[in-house]
Amino acid sequence: MKHKIAVAITGASGSIYAKILLEKLIKLKDQWEELSVVMSRNAKDVWLTELGNEDFKNYPVKYFDKQDFSAPFASGSAQYNVLIVVPCSMGTLGRIASGVSDDLVTRAADVVLKERRKLILAIRDTPYNIIHIRNMETVTLAGGIICPLSPSFYNKPGTIEEVAETVVDRIVDIAGLHQNSFRWGN
């Protein structure tokens, strides 16, 4: 079975992670049948600020507005099996943890959790306060996966893109896709 993947991009800093993830998923297109993206207005502004372009418009994926509750991944019947929120703001984390489905991102997260499918929240903010920690605990207990955007360095990345790719490779692995990437001990 091929995956049906939704990627939600929030307005937290870290657009490079979303960019590299989309590029990697497109390269792995033989492993998914649908790839959908929802981006907040703030996410588009942050992308432009951090990356200096609007390349998010150019990926061959299905785009949905943040208020479009008719998007297929707003319902469990569409059988999307992976939702990746990258970067995930603490506000989005809090709404997901509270069960507040006030936009497509939080509705999709609610659906993925209720259907016992894979929710990956790539959180970016630091440091954490106790509210953040409790929200992470709540989402984890509900079946979600918290994946902080904390890069590794044992593969000796030489560029900022390679640093960010260390995290994206983990996200892709967690999502259940197969890829060639750095593996410890190889």
Side-chain angles (χ1 to χ4, degrees), residues 63-111:
Y63 288 92
F64 294 90
D65 184 83
K66 192 175 171 187
Q67 296 305 318
D68 184 357
F69 286 86
S70 67
F73 51 95
S75 171
S77 65
Q79 297 185 320
Y80 271 70
N81 62 318
V82 179
L83 171 61
I84 304 166
V85 184
V86 58
C88 181
S89 68
M90 288 299 153
T92 301
L93 168 68
R95 287 187 294 283
I96 292 168
S98 300
V100 175
S101 298
D102 63 347
D103 64 20
L104 182 55
V105 176
T106 53
R107 171 62 187 163
D110 190 25
V111 166

Side-chain angles (χ1 to χ4, degrees), residues 15-42:
S15 299
I16 191 168
Y17 294 104
K19 173 187 179 293
I20 292 171
L21 177 65
L22 291 174
E23 290 169 355
K24 189 160 289 246
L25 290 174
I26 289 165
K27 288 179 185 174
L28 299 172
K29 64 183 173 187
D30 60 320
Q31 297 180 53
W32 51 264
E33 69 178 86
E34 290 187 43
L35 177 57
S36 298
V37 175
V38 58
M39 261 181 113
S40 69
R41 186 176 320 123
N42 287 343

Side-chain angles (χ1 to χ4, degrees), residues 91-156:
T92 301
L93 168 68
R95 287 187 294 283
I96 292 168
S98 300
V100 175
S101 298
D102 63 347
D103 64 20
L104 182 55
V105 176
T106 53
R107 171 62 187 163
D110 190 25
V111 166
V112 168
L113 289 173
K114 81 177 181 66
E115 298 291 334
R116 307 297 192 266
R117 297 179 184 146
K118 202 163 279 190
L119 173 63
I120 303 165
L121 302 182
I123 58 171
R124 214 272 335 138
D125 291 322
T126 187
Y128 306 137
N129 65 40
I130 192 65
I131 297 167
H132 301 149
I133 293 166
R134 288 183 177 151
N135 286 338
M136 286 186 265
E137 176 187 38
T138 298
V139 168
T140 300
L141 291 171
I145 299 167
I146 303 298
C147 183
L149 293 171
S150 302
S152 60
F153 298 95
Y154 43 67
N155 65 331
K156 298 180 179 67

